[in-house]
Amino acid sequence: MVLRVLGCSGGIGGESGTTSFLIDRDILMDAGTGVGGMSLSELAAIRHIFLTHPHLDHIACLPLLLDSAVCMRDHPLTIWGTEETVEILKSHIFNWKIWPDFTVIPSTQFPAMQYRTLSLGTTIVLDGRGITAVPANHTVSAVGYHLDSGVASLVFSGDTTTNDTFWDVVNGIKNLRHLIMETTFSDSRRDLATVSKHLCPSLLVEELGKLKGNPEIHISHLKPGEKERITREITDGLHRFHPRMLCMGQEIDF
Ligand SMILES: [Zn+2]
Ligand SMILES: [Zn+2]
């Protein structure tokens, strides 16, 4: 599997858009503003979108990408999320007020999208690629994802704060090669990180202390206004983990 970073920022205004990863050519993981740089043919090739949670920075481009390539698809796009995430999309986005309900247009027989709910620990297998929701601890129903190519695994934390159940799952993955962790705020805003259920570098150090294996660590979701400060704090505080900042356009093979 190849993961291409379309966006990995915690906001707009930097050189990267907000969270979205393209897996091979047909799967999106979140649909933040990073999707905006994709070509029409790339958009048309997407068949599945796995959402970590319904916050705007992770779904901002979902309504627009559905509409852009609707006439170029001969199949409905499948939107995967927890039951609560799907309910929030139905009630608050695809409600005919913010955007049309694409599960019934162009027609109920051939709709542009369909919802599928998933639950923690249940693996969805798409052409031999395993995708499993893993626990996250955020202000709304949220998950991370474990992607398993059969050769190696990558785990994406999604938006989360401290969470022992996440590490129980991660430490059980035998072929774990890559771990993408969010770090949203600098340590000067540790209180805000706690109340908004995100991580800051000092919380990330505590979390990574629970990791048993030795995967490559990648950091995402930095607030653009604090990017340099967070990067410095991570470089200083986490050097034993050799973390790398995820960047737009980066590809991870596993
Ligand atoms: Zn969030
Ligand atoms: Zn976010």
Side-chain angles (χ1 to χ4, degrees):
M1 295 168 85
V2 179
L3 177 149
R4 171 152 60 102
V5 179
L6 304 173
C8 57
S9 177
I12 58 169
E15 61 261 21
S16 170
T18 66
T19 308
S20 186
F21 306 138
L22 180 65
I23 316 297
D24 300 330
R25 286 172 45 79
D26 58 331
I27 301 171
L28 267 192
M29 195 132 293
D30 283 338
T33 66
V35 170
M38 295 179 81
S39 70
L40 204 51
S41 59
E42 284 178 319
L43 290 174
I46 296 165
R47 296 185 72 100
H48 300 271
I49 302 180
F50 286 81
L51 297 173
T52 57
H53 67 303
H55 277 163
L56 200 55
D57 56 323
H58 299 254
I59 63 156
C61 278
L62 175 60
L64 300 173
L65 84 83
L66 272 169
D67 200 24
S68 294
V70 68
C71 58
M72 298 170 71
R73 282 195 196 91
D74 55 4
H75 52 83
L77 216 157
T78 305
I79 313 296
W80 297 87
T82 64
E83 213 169 305
E84 193 176 343
T85 291
V86 167
E87 280 311 312
I88 289 169
L89 291 178
K90 286 180 183 173
S91 308
H92 299 287
I93 304 291
F94 298 102
N95 57 7
W96 293 102
K97 295 188 180 81
I98 297 292
W99 211 240
D101 177 3
F102 278 89
T103 63
V104 295
I105 56 173
S107 70
T108 47
Q109 205 182 354
F110 301 104
M113 69 185 265
Q114 60 185 356
Y115 296 112
R116 288 286 180 274
T117 57
L118 44 74
S119 43
L120 289 176
T122 305
T123 301
I124 314 296
V125 180
L126 300 173
D127 299 328
R129 301 162 296 180
I131 299 166
T132 313
V134 301
N137 178 14
H138 198 37
T139 53
V140 287
S141 168
V143 296
Y145 283 105
H146 165 204
L147 310 179
D148 189 348
S149 68
V151 176
S153 284
L154 176 148
V155 169
F156 169 43
S157 71
D159 283 14
T160 190
T161 188
T162 55
N163 184 11
D164 287 352
T165 56
F166 171 77
W167 296 106
D168 290 342
V169 174
V170 168
N171 288 329
I173 300 171
K174 300 281 176 269
N175 62 355
L176 182 64
R177 189 181 293 169
H178 296 280
L179 178 58
I180 301 176
M181 292 298 301
E182 77 119 283
T183 306
T184 301
F185 297 111
S186 70
D187 277 332
S188 66
R189 300 211 283 166
R190 182 171 162 133
D191 288 352
L192 181 56
T194 304
V195 81
S196 60
K197 294 204 170 187
H198 282 293
L199 293 170
C200 59
S202 58
L203 286 171
L204 181 63
V205 174
E206 292 169 23
E207 286 303 281
L208 287 176
K210 303 167 189 170
L211 172 65
K212 295 202 172 112
N214 190 28
E216 283 187 41
I217 312 282
H218 310 267
I219 310 293
S220 74
H221 208 272
L222 284 65
K223 286 291 175 199
E226 291 196 294
K227 191 176 171 193
E228 282 73 29
R229 182 171 186 160
I230 301 167
T231 303
R232 200 169 52 244
E233 289 175 351
I234 285 177
T235 310
D236 292 349
L238 283 92
H239 44 83
R240 74 187 166 99
F241 296 103
H242 308 292
R244 292 186 207 162
M245 301 299 144
L246 212 57
C247 18
M248 193 174 77
Q250 181 180 347
E251 291 193 342
I252 301 177
D253 239 304
F254 58 99

